[in-house]
């Protein structure tokens, strides 16, 4: 049940559908606090994002932006930006550019039924901060969006609006979680034959509490691939809400979490197939230690008539101690009769035979556990389109696993 | 080098005695074969030498180079030079074979207080060894044993042995699941590792492996203890007559 509060937003309460495993209370506080304080931020314009040091992309071509609470830093002389990308800050653009008005609040609103998402609505209505990004052609180099130190220590509402034109291609890498709390929404429209590859690396701040939504509309023969890597923060909820109205549309969402101690990370995914021949994949793996909690809630929804849909969902956790837990709610909701959909969820400890095998070759117990955990997680990296990015994540993932053991 | 005295072992999970007083002495340079019917405890003996969990040793001892190793962890034994080639090498998806080999190699070097080797030098070393053993470089790029054929898995075991250069190699039914050609290749790999400083224990059901790896001493294990030892001829006798003569003598 949802309760009407004085602001008119029916924020969920503990125990509501899809809020049984993660408590929403903290996100209500973060959202309201952020709304009150977002105009009072001090700007620290030159400081780089915290996570860039953790994530080494040196040596590869890239287009870089640093988003601060009311400023966007980038190299204005970069010709790649003027030729293929249109961009700006949400608070400056909104109401002045029709393409933004076609997306902002619209993509999210399309899918408020059957499950309303008041946090996302609240963010969209109140956020003054965010990047508007329009890919108009094929952009070869990844676009790196780092969240700057200006977000550190505060609560924020961030609303990014992303458009990928017909036939265009965009790889967006979002880096950092410097805030103490965030309610963030990405609204994405991938137009026919467009390709949007998205990577989120929310690592580096062990105090962050993050509620992140990605709403996407994926049109005919278009493709969305989104991978997220979450580090050891006390509370994270990562929502993907994707609709595939076009025929032959494709959505892959995947993620990795490494958690140790009193932390909770929740991936909640809702994919709605509305066209013919759609494909979707959900692949999530978590390594949990010292009482950490991992949550996965995933649904594949197939509309009546969305024949030949191919949906796949798999969530897996490796529990390194007896106190850690993995809470899952895998769902299929299918109203078409000629589809192929599957879901699976597994939860287990380190395989003793593998552990013994590695140790018998001279590898210490801790290092062997680390290798096996890393091996378990690395398979998810196959979901990422760019090999360069996969390679660049290896060291970061190794550090994360070693820190958790 | 290796001295096993009156070794008893119980499988903890089932509270079942498996080894009931094994005695065995192995000197550097020797090749021993241990044969015996199914369930006689041959594999258990190899596990206990290498330090697998799940067994209780109520009586007896294993010393290696005059050090009691029963209380040591598997990795400590590996650092001392003990190596078990598994009957069923474990598939480890997600862990690259090369990464695994280098980690193992450097872990052993580190435990011995020796200098670790650089990635490029290690690559050269492994490529040379792989070529000698006729192992495809592709196997090095794939995850450990993952999707390997039976023969590839066993050759990968021998490659690890060649790279880690242990002083005691225990081969647990290395011939199982191999066709004649693969068995020959694996045997050649083992023979290449024979040295006056290295001992090899070959556990097998069949004499045919011993045509390729000539043992100095053959032991017969029955119901948890070694009941007969002899020269290479003993293996031929078993091949011709089975274990029935030995079993009836025991009775």
């Amino acid at each position: 049940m949802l309760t009407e509060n004085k602001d008119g937003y029916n924020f969920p309460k503990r125990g509501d559908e899809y809020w049984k495993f993660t408590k929403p209370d903290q996100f209500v506080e973060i959202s309201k606090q952020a709304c009150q304080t977002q105009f009072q931020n001090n700007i620290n314009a030159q400081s780089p994002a915290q996570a860039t040091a953790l994530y080494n992309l040196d040596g590869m071509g890239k287009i870089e932006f640093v988003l601060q609470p009311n400023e966007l830093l980038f190299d204005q002389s970069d010709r790649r930006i003027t030729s293929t990308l249109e961009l700006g800050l949400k608070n400056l653009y909104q109401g002045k550019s029709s393409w933004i008005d076609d997306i902002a609040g619209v993509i999210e609103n399309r899918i408020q039924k059957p499950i309303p998402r008041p946090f996302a609505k609240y963010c969209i209505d109140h956020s003054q901060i965010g990047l508007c990004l329009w890919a108009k052609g094929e952009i070869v180099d990844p676009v790196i969006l780092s969240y700057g130190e200006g977000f550190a220590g505060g609560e924020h509402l961030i609303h990014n609006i992303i458009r990928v034109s017909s036939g265009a291609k965009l790889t967006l890498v979002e880096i950092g979680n410097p805030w103490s709390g965030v309610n963030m929404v990405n609204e994405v429209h991938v137009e026919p034959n467009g390709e949007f590859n998205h990577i989120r690396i929310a690592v580096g701040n062990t105090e962050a509490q993050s509620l992140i939504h990605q709403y996407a509309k994926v049109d005919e023969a278009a493709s969305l691939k989104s991978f997220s890597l979450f580090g050891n923060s006390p509370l994270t909820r990562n929502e993907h809400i994707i609709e595939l109205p076009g025929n032959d549309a494709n959505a892959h969402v995947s993620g990795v979490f490494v958690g140790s101690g009193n932390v909770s990370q929740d991936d909640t995914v809702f994919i709605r197939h509305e066209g013919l021949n759609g494909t979707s994949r959900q692949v999530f793996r978590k390594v949990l230690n010292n009482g950490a909690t991992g949550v996965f809630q995933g649904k594949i929804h197939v509309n009546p008539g969305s024949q030949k849909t191919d949906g796949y969902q798999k969530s897996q956790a490796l529990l390194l101690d007896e106190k850690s837990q993995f809470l899952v709610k895998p769902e299929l909701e299918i109203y078409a009769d000629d589809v192929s959909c599957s879901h699976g969820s597994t939860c287990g400890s380190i395989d003793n035979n593998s552990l013994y095998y590695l140790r018998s070759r001279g590898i210490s117990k801790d290092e062997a556990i680390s290798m096996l955990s890393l091996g378990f997680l690395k398979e998810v990296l196959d979901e990422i389109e760019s090999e360069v990015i996969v390679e660049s994540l290896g060291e970061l993932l190794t550090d994360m696993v070693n820190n958790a053991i | 080098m290796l001295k096993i005295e009156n070794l008893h072992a119980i499988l903890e999970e089932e509270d079942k005695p498996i080894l009931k007083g094994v005695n065995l002495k192995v000197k550097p340079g020797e090749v021993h074969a241990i044969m015996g019917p199914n369930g006689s405890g041959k594999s258990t003996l190899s596990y206990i030498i290498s330090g697998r969990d799940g067994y209780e040793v109520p009586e007896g001892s294993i010393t290696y180079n005059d050090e009691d190793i029963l209380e040591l962890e598997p990795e400590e034994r590996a650092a001392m030079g003990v190596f078990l080639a598994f009957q069923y090498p474990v598939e480890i998806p997600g862990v690259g074979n090369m990464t695994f080999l280098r980690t193992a190699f450097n872990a052993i070097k580190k435990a011995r207080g020796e200098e670790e080797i650089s990635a490029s030098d290690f690559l050269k070393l492994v490529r040379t060894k792989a070529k000698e053993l006729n192992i495809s470089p592709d196997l090095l790029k794939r995850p450990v044993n993952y999707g390997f054929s039976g023969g590839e898995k066993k050759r990968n075991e021998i490659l690890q042995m060649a790279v880690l250069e242990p002083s005691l190699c225990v081969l647990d039914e290395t011939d199982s699941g191999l066709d004649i050609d693969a068995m020959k290749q694996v045997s050649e790999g083992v023979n290449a590792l024979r040295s006056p400083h290295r001992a090899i224990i070959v556990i097998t059901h069949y004499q045919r492996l011993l045509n390729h790896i000539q043992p100095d001493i053959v032991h017969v294990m029955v119901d948890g203890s070694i009941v007969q030892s002899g020269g290479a001829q003993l293996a031929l006798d078993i091949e011709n007559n089975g274990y029935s003569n030995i079993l009836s003598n025991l009775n």
Side-chain angles (χ1 to χ4, degrees):
Chain A
M1 288 296 293
L2 300 174
T3 33
E4 186 85 16
N5 66 29
K6 62 181 180 179
D7 296 326
Y9 291 88
N10 296 321
F11 287 124
K13 289 195 307 177
R14 285 187 198 193
D16 282 353
E17 189 74 16
Y18 299 106
W19 289 95
K20 292 189 195 309
F21 304 140
T22 298
K23 295 171 188 164
D25 320 31
Q26 196 58 26
F27 295 130
V28 175
E29 290 308 310
I30 288 168
S31 301
K32 290 185 172 177
Q33 191 65 34
C35 189
Q36 283 171 17
T37 60
Q38 64 179 331
F39 295 109
Q40 298 159 18
N41 287 300
N42 293 318
I43 311 160
N44 184 357
Q46 298 308 318
S47 170
Q50 189 178 5
T52 15
L54 279 168
Y55 180 62
N56 186 2
L57 281 170
D58 287 348
M60 64 181 271
K62 54 187 182 284
I63 303 170
E64 286 189 291
F65 300 99
V66 177
L67 183 67
Q68 297 286 10
N70 57 359
E71 190 168 15
L72 183 64
L73 306 173
F74 63 100
D75 179 0
Q76 300 197 15
S77 66
D78 191 331
R79 285 188 178 176
R80 292 170 299 183
I81 294 173
T82 49
S83 61
T84 50
L85 272 176
E86 182 177 320
L87 63 112
L89 284 169
K90 175 192 166 176
N91 55 335
L92 301 178
Y93 253 81
Q94 201 162 13
K96 295 174 190 164
S97 183
S98 63
W99 75 266
I100 290 171
D101 297 333
D102 290 343
I103 296 176
V106 177
I107 306 272
E108 178 268 336
N109 198 46
R110 281 173 62 97
I111 206 161
Q112 278 283 343
K113 285 179 185 173
I115 306 289
R117 304 196 189 242
F119 285 122
K121 192 161 178 46
Y122 189 86
C123 173
I124 290 167
D125 288 350
H126 295 90
S127 170
Q128 298 294 314
I129 306 166
L131 176 69
C132 303
L133 195 65
W134 178 7
K136 298 176 172 180
E138 181 172 347
I139 301 166
V140 177
D141 297 323
V143 172
I144 313 294
L145 171 62
S146 299
Y147 293 98
E149 280 299 300
F151 289 104
E155 289 79 19
H156 301 276
L157 300 170
I158 300 176
H159 178 202
N160 297 316
I161 297 150
I162 297 150
R163 177 183 179 189
V164 181
S165 280
S166 286
K169 183 175 176 180
L170 170 68
T171 299
L172 175 68
V173 184
E174 287 183 75
I175 300 181
N177 55 350
W179 43 74
S180 66
V182 79
N183 175 356
M184 183 193 286
V185 175
N186 282 3
E187 280 186 287
V188 183
H189 185 194
V190 191
E191 295 177 1
N193 298 300
E195 191 178 328
F196 179 53
N197 295 311
H198 175 248
I199 289 106
R200 180 184 303 285
I201 300 162
V203 175
N205 179 4
T206 54
E207 305 294 326
Q209 301 188 82
S210 308
L211 170 60
I212 295 171
H213 313 77
Q214 180 151 284
Y215 283 86
K217 178 168 171 266
V218 184
D219 286 344
E220 185 155 338
S223 162
L224 172 145
K225 286 190 178 178
S226 181
F227 168 85
S228 47
L229 175 62
F230 284 98
N232 211 34
S233 305
L235 182 63
T236 307
R237 164 95 160 198
N238 178 39
E239 290 196 15
H240 287 271
I241 306 98
I242 301 167
E243 56 170 341
L244 307 166
N247 295 339
D248 303 304
N250 173 29
H252 285 196
V253 283
S254 56
V256 160
F257 171 61
V258 183
S260 173
N262 187 21
V263 297
S264 174
Q265 192 269 349
D266 173 338
D267 289 299
T268 293
V269 181
F270 182 88
I271 296 182
R272 186 158 75 192
H273 289 271
E274 298 170 5
L276 298 170
N277 304 319
T279 54
S280 67
R281 280 175 71 82
Q282 304 174 33
V283 181
F284 288 84
R285 288 194 180 182
K286 303 170 200 282
V287 169
L288 307 167
N289 197 14
N290 297 318
T293 298
V295 176
F296 174 79
Q297 306 181 102
K299 181 183 270 195
I300 306 170
H301 178 111
V302 183
N303 269 10
S306 290
Q307 307 296 11
K308 304 291 182 190
T309 291
D310 184 355
Y312 175 86
Q313 180 196 100
K314 196 154 194 183
S315 57
Q316 294 173 286
L318 188 56
L319 306 183
L320 299 184
D321 73 335
E322 290 179 359
K323 285 186 262 171
S324 296
Q325 53 179 347
F326 183 43
L327 308 168
V328 295
K329 187 180 181 188
E331 292 178 288
L332 298 177
E333 193 172 332
I334 300 171
Y335 299 101
D337 58 8
D338 185 13
V339 302
S340 164
C341 287
S342 64
H343 66 69
S345 199
T346 68
C347 180
S349 54
I350 289 275
D351 174 52
N352 277 334
N353 286 331
S354 303
L355 189 61
Y356 166 56
Y357 188 74
L358 295 180
R359 294 179 73 191
S360 78
R361 299 300 183 247
I363 298 167
S364 71
K365 187 177 179 183
D366 278 356
E367 190 159 10
I369 291 172
S370 170
M371 283 177 85
L372 293 170
S373 302
L374 203 56
F376 170 75
L377 296 175
K378 272 189 171 172
E379 288 195 302
V380 184
L381 302 187
D382 292 342
E383 302 294 321
I384 299 175
E385 189 76 15
S386 160
E387 280 182 25
V388 181
I389 289 174
V390 171
E391 276 177 32
S392 71
L393 284 173
E395 202 174 321
L396 174 60
L397 204 53
T398 305
D399 286 347
M400 287 168 69
V401 168
N402 287 338
N403 287 337
I405 291 170
Chain B
M1 184 181 223
L2 176 72
K3 195 157 89 178
I4 299 175
E5 288 183 312
N6 191 29
L7 186 71
H8 286 68
I10 295 168
L11 182 59
E12 282 173 351
E13 209 171 62
E14 297 173 21
D15 197 22
K16 184 179 168 190
I18 310 282
L19 301 184
K20 301 168 183 172
V22 174
N23 292 290
L24 181 67
K25 277 185 190 169
V26 181
K27 293 179 189 157
E30 288 179 347
V31 174
H32 289 235
I34 300 179
M35 303 179 74
N38 287 330
S40 57
K42 305 185 298 294
S43 289
T44 298
L45 178 63
S46 73
Y47 293 152
I48 292 185
I49 293 172
S50 74
R52 187 179 191 134
D53 282 344
Y55 297 94
E56 188 196 333
V57 177
E59 256 188 280
S61 67
I62 304 180
T63 55
Y64 187 64
N65 293 335
D66 299 323
E67 194 176 331
D68 179 358
I69 61 168
L70 271 178
E71 294 301 316
L72 298 182
E73 300 292 350
E75 58 269 32
E76 293 173 311
R77 301 184 200 199
M80 289 176 74
V82 175
F83 182 95
L84 168 64
F86 282 53
Q87 182 179 0
Y88 303 109
V90 184
E91 293 194 8
I92 309 181
V95 176
N97 209 13
M98 189 60 109
T99 307
F100 157 64
L101 271 171
R102 194 173 71 242
T103 309
F105 185 87
N106 281 332
I108 288 175
K109 287 268 176 203
K110 197 175 162 190
R112 291 176 184 168
E114 295 168 15
E115 204 168 310
E116 294 180 23
I117 192 169
S118 75
S120 59
D121 285 348
F122 185 75
L123 187 65
K124 280 182 210 154
L125 172 81
V126 172
R127 279 192 178 150
T128 310
K129 301 272 186 190
K131 203 173 176 189
E132 286 168 11
L133 291 166
N134 202 12
I135 288 175
S136 153
D138 281 353
L139 289 192
L140 300 169
K141 292 179 194 158
R142 283 158 55 185
V144 179
N145 296 322
Y146 189 65
F148 285 23
S149 70
E152 286 171 337
K153 281 181 183 170
K154 296 296 170 77
R155 266 182 284 172
N156 199 31
E157 295 291 285
I158 305 304
L159 174 66
Q160 291 166 37
M161 215 160 84
V163 169
L164 301 177
E165 297 190 324
S167 47
L168 172 67
C169 308
V170 183
L171 278 63
D172 185 11
E173 297 198 25
T174 293
D175 50 338
S176 70
L178 294 186
D179 60 37
I180 300 289
D181 292 337
M183 185 159 72
K184 211 173 157 191
Q185 270 186 348
V186 165
S187 303
E188 282 168 6
V190 174
N191 285 330
L193 290 166
R194 288 181 83 147
S195 112
H197 309 291
R198 180 175 291 130
I200 297 174
I201 299 174
V202 181
I203 294 171
T204 183
H205 275 294
Y206 303 108
Q207 195 272 337
R208 64 184 179 200
L209 178 67
L210 305 180
N211 286 335
H212 301 289
I213 306 171
Q214 291 283 329
D216 300 304
I217 301 165
V218 175
H219 308 275
V220 179
M221 197 163 171
V222 175
D223 192 24
S225 60
I226 288 172
V227 296
Q228 196 170 344
S229 300
Q233 183 61 36
L234 179 56
L236 290 170
D237 293 345
I238 291 168
E239 181 74 5
N240 292 330
N241 306 322
Y243 293 106
S244 50
N245 283 356
I246 294 167
L247 293 173
S248 60
N249 286 345
L250 285 176
N251 291 333

